[in-house]
Amino acid sequence: MTLRRQLLLLALSALVLPWAAWRALVQMEGLLRQGQQQALEATAEAVARSLALRPALLPPAAPAVPLHALAQAPRLDARNEDWGEAAGPLVTDPAVPGLGFALGQYNERLWLQAQIRDETPARGESHWPADLAIDALLAELETSQGPLVLRLAARAEGPFSVAGADGGALPLRVEAAWRETAGGYAVEAVLPQGVRLHGLRLVQVDGDGQGGKTERASARHRPYRPSPALARDWAALLPPGVRGRVLDAHGWVLAEGGALAPDASREGGTGLGRRLLYRALLRAAAVAPALPPATPRRDDRPERLAAAEGALASRWRLDPRGTRLLLSTAMPVRVDGEVRAVLLLERSNAETLLLADRAAAHLLGLTLLAFLASAGLAFLFATRLSARIRRLRDAAEQALDRSGEVRRFPVSAARDEVGDLSRSFSRLLEEIAAYTGYLRSLASKLSHELHTPLAIVRSSLDNLDLAALPAEARPYLGRARDGVERMAQLVRSMSEATRIEQAIAAAEHEDFDLARLVAEVGEGYRTLLAPRRLELALPAALPFRGSPELVVQALDKLVDNARGFTPEAGRIAIRLRRVGRQVWLEVENTGPLLPEAMRQRLFDSLVSLRERSRDAEGAVHLGFGLHVVKLVAAAHGGEAEAGNLPDGSGVVFRLRLPLP
């Protein structure tokens, strides 16, 4: 991975800034909602205390039963479907498990419905003697006409006439209906018009049909109706944006008022971004699931149930009709230490969303700007740094030309690590240039310095040859003379290499026919290479611009190199062809293959693959030949290369020279 990409990935770590801003925004919204909850609980406590100062407006002390105002006269069939909203959960009494009842009023007539769970049914007539062990429901009423006890019992389903407690007739006519249910029975009764009810006590008689029975009596409940003054005056205590209800202990609505603030997320002017922000904040909040809308007459949410037990309860919920949260707080209304009602207040988090919206616009905007700025600066820095490193790499790759000369290396003035690296490279290349210059001049220096010692040794050997030497010393004299000749040949080769390099540098280029030139010199190689077979593959003509002397010299070196490795029965081929915008001059020969490790070093100075420094004809080889080939190719803007033939029979050396 490039350095710029690494720094870009590092810059992406700045994305933690928007994430941190979002977490801060979510936490701030949670704190604002917590403040709203505390404020609403304080409001609920103040309103509850105000209601407690007027106990006449509240339901009577428990036990009490609401007297529902019915919208129509129910059918007398022991069913509560026609009771409307009053058909909700019935009033229960812990003393009589399985008994639920309700009271309703329509046109000054009182209706009583009751449902009893009974697993041992025992039916009979209501006018039977009171001591018979049958199922019955005794209703002890305190009416405006005095105490009244109703015995509700029947042999079968349907209407029946209600008798007194002992089975006798009542002072007034009371009608009722009996209905069998799964696991029990239901009873519905209606009192004559004008009878006012002040108290109610129910007794469940559970007979076994064999003369035994069990009675369970409820507490005496006081019926009540919501106070008109409560429904008219209490809503003035609510602050704006708060909706409230006053409920009795059973969840029935006594009064309600106030209104919630408009849902900002549903307004027509709210943009898509704001709506998405609201939804994201709501998803991040830990809230309870939405409840179905409460009925106008009853509310049974968990907060109300907790407040009916005397505890303050608050809960956040999703608004099922909008993108916001609703906070509901239930506060018990106590009079003389007894819970007489429950105050339920609701408000939305509209203000919190608006504040969070403003904070998000500033906070997220600033963090996004900071992220873009930091990422942009990091990217620019990475781009500049990578560009400097690329320039340093390009300069290092071009520090040496094809001839091995050290070029000028650009030095950076920067005071950082990249600048120090460029200055270190420059010093290193200066030392390499000095050492290379020393090596280039070493051959001429050695050849110049060795001429005099060699002349002295040669003259001394000549004098010894003229002297009278024993016969046994003559072989040693010959060996010494051969060694001197080899040293002289070495000095001449070194001098020749130096002169060739200087000649290559000073050669002038001209236009000539390269094919004709190679053909002329190629015919001259046949006698030299005999008995080896020479093949020429040349075009009719090939115009070229360069130095004919240098091309011939390079070809001489290649042919001489091929002759040294080709067996006498082998083959040497010289080929010339045009490939694109280049001319390929190739010399092939059969013989040993090139080692893979040496293919890139063959054209270096003083490198040779011969096992001895003298070939079969006694010529000394110092490894300058192929180096001269490389210098000639570089002088023409080309390059030299070597490789093995595809069939593995030998090697090929190639000069690739560009055409004008």
Side-chain angles (χ1 to χ4, degrees), residues 19 29 103 126 162 192 215 241 315 366 439 490:
W19 177 84
E29 192 271 341
L103 294 176
S126 60
V162 180
E215 294 185 358
R315 184 168 297 188
L366 290 176
L439 292 179
L490 177 61

Side-chain angles (χ1 to χ4, degrees), residues 89-117:
L90 303 179
V91 177
T92 60
D93 192 304
V96 188
L99 171 65
F101 62 97
L103 294 176
Q105 185 175 18
Y106 179 76
N107 284 343
E108 301 299 327
R109 298 192 71 182
L110 292 175
W111 297 75
L112 168 65
Q113 66 163 320
Q115 294 183 3
I116 299 92
R117 185 173 65 252

Side-chain angles (χ1 to χ4, degrees), residues 58-384:
L58 302 177
V65 58
L67 184 59
H68 301 289
L70 303 178
Q72 61 183 3
R75 293 185 301 273
L76 196 62
D77 55 3
R79 301 179 183 275
N80 60 358
E81 288 83 356
D82 50 2
W83 278 55
E85 295 180 351
L90 303 179
V91 177
T92 60
D93 192 304
V96 188
L99 171 65
F101 62 97
L103 294 176
Q105 185 175 18
Y106 179 76
N107 284 343
E108 301 299 327
R109 298 192 71 182
L110 292 175
W111 297 75
L112 168 65
Q113 66 163 320
Q115 294 183 3
I116 299 92
R117 185 173 65 252
D118 186 9
E119 303 296 337
T120 58
R123 308 294 179 247
E125 296 292 345
S126 60
H127 55 77
W128 286 4
D131 57 350
L132 291 180
I134 61 175
D135 294 334
L137 179 65
L138 301 181
E140 300 176 358
L141 309 179
E142 294 181 6
T143 68
S144 56
Q145 299 181 2
L148 184 64
V149 179
L150 307 180
R151 183 180 180 84
L152 304 175
R155 180 183 295 276
E157 291 186 327
F160 65 92
S161 297
V162 180
D166 54 358
L170 295 174
L172 46 84
R173 180 176 177 80
V174 179
E175 298 177 351
W178 182 286
R179 181 175 63 89
E180 297 290 334
T181 63
Y185 57 92
V187 178
E188 186 176 18
V190 57
L191 300 180
Q193 188 171 359
V195 177
R196 296 184 178 276
L197 184 63
H198 302 297
L200 171 65
R201 180 173 178 267
L202 297 178
V203 179
Q204 178 191 1
V205 179
D206 185 11
D208 57 7
Q210 303 296 329
K213 61 182 179 180
T214 303
E215 294 185 358
R216 290 186 292 269
S218 70
R220 189 169 300 277
H221 291 76
R222 298 176 58 187
Y224 68 90
R225 298 189 65 175
S227 171
L230 177 64
R232 183 181 64 250
D233 300 337
W234 89 280
L237 301 175
L238 298 179
V242 176
R243 180 175 64 189
R245 284 181 168 184
V246 180
L247 311 171
D248 68 358
H250 306 288
W252 295 102
V253 178
L254 304 177
E256 59 183 348
L260 296 176
D263 188 357
S265 64
R266 295 175 61 88
E267 294 178 356
T270 303
L272 177 61
R274 181 174 295 179
R275 291 196 297 270
L276 293 177
L277 173 65
Y278 292 166
R279 291 190 178 96
L281 287 174
L282 296 184
R283 284 195 298 268
V287 296
L291 290 177
T295 64
R297 296 287 304 277
R298 189 175 179 85
D299 197 320
D300 279 332
R301 66 186 66 189
E303 303 92 276
R304 197 275 305 170
L305 298 176
E309 300 294 331
L312 170 66
S314 298
R315 184 168 297 188
W316 287 94
R317 286 189 179 86
L318 290 172
D319 185 2
R321 292 183 293 268
T323 308
R324 62 176 177 176
L325 297 179
L326 296 179
L327 171 63
S328 59
T329 296
M331 172 70 71
V333 181
R334 290 184 174 89
V335 177
D336 297 332
E338 186 178 10
V339 178
R340 297 278 294 275
V342 172
L343 176 64
L344 183 63
L345 300 184
E346 284 184 300
R347 72 177 303 170
S348 70
N349 67 334
E351 297 87 350
T352 300
L353 290 177
L354 292 176
L355 291 175
D357 183 25
R358 298 191 187 113
H362 291 81
L363 186 59
L364 294 181
L366 290 176
T367 53
L368 182 60
L369 182 62
F371 164 71
L372 293 177
S374 61
L377 290 176
F379 184 75
L380 291 177
F381 173 75
T383 301
R384 180 175 177 271

Side-chain angles (χ1 to χ4, degrees), residues 426-443:
S426 178
R427 289 192 296 268
L428 178 61
L429 289 174
E430 288 177 358
E431 295 179 0
I432 292 176
Y435 185 69
T436 303
Y438 168 75
L439 292 179
R440 289 182 180 276
S441 63
L442 180 61

